[in-house]
Amino acid sequence: RNGFSAGAGGKCVKCAAAWVNGVRLLVIGVLVVVFCGLVVRNALRSADSGQRKKLHINVYLRIFMNYVQLVSLSAALEVDWPKEFQELFQTQDQIGSVSEQLFSFDCFLQGAEYHSHAVEFLKLLLLNVLPFILMALTAIIWGSYGMYKRGRVGIK
């Protein structure tokens, strides 16, 4: 329905104002870029041969991401889990769906009067094209960084 989107557990949730969704998208994008930049900076810093102290944040992040993936995969399996496990999966599913509750792509596109199938198609298209866009952005950023470093060091 127009003005609503799917929330946690497939329940309908009223959409926020269009400008609120735009601000949320901008803030989420900035936070993702800052987070990725910090992870890369820490990885480069820990790879520095002159550094004696190792930064363990990368190891902790890797362990946490593996845990989240394992829990998501386990929850998706059609298994008759004990009640305690089901409660654990439901709690973590609610935590994992925070991004859907904060920003809804459906609500973002509703102002443009798309048909519901067109919105689903656009989401699918974006998810399939996004890795290539991110690869291109990564190549541009690292290429610029490399040219900056070469120019600064004097190697041409």
Side-chain angles (χ1 to χ4, degrees):
R1 219 168 90 182
N2 202 8
F4 289 87
S5 71
K11 297 179 182 173
C12 290
V13 178
K14 186 158 179 54
C15 290
W19 70 270
V20 173
N21 257 345
V23 169
R24 287 178 180 171
L25 177 63
L26 182 67
V27 169
I28 290 170
V30 168
L31 289 176
V32 166
V33 168
V34 167
F35 176 75
C36 290
L38 289 174
V39 169
V40 169
R41 186 187 69 134
N42 285 339
L44 290 175
R45 192 181 278 177
S46 67
D48 186 14
S49 60
Q51 184 180 7
R52 301 208 189 293
K53 180 185 164 196
K54 284 197 167 196
L55 297 172
H56 297 290
I57 186 77
N58 296 327
V59 175
Y60 297 143
L61 281 172
R62 205 172 305 136
I63 291 170
F64 178 71
M65 293 305 291
N66 286 337
Y67 168 75
V68 170
Q69 288 175 341
L70 183 64
V71 168
S72 297
L73 181 64
S74 300
L77 295 175
E78 293 291 329
V79 175
D80 189 21
W81 294 105
K83 181 182 168 212
E84 293 81 11
F85 282 106
Q86 290 177 358
E87 290 173 3
L88 174 73
F89 292 150
Q90 287 174 353
T91 303
Q92 292 188 353
D93 185 43
Q94 289 175 352
I95 293 170
S97 67
V98 166
S99 63
E100 294 173 5
Q101 295 169 12
L102 282 178
F103 176 76
S104 172
F105 196 70
D106 297 336
C107 290
F108 191 70
L109 292 177
Q110 277 184 6
E113 297 299 325
Y114 291 109
H115 190 270
S116 64
H117 296 299
V119 171
E120 294 300 319
F121 177 73
L122 284 173
K123 286 194 318 189
L124 184 65
L125 182 67
L126 178 67
L127 287 174
N128 283 306
V129 173
L130 191 61
F132 299 107
I133 294 170
L134 293 176
M135 283 190 296
L137 283 174
T138 303
I140 290 169
I141 290 170
W142 281 110
S144 301
Y145 179 75
M147 289 174 21
Y148 168 76
K149 280 295 217 184
R150 265 188 262 130
R152 199 171 108 193
V153 175
I155 302 172
K156 295 184 180 182

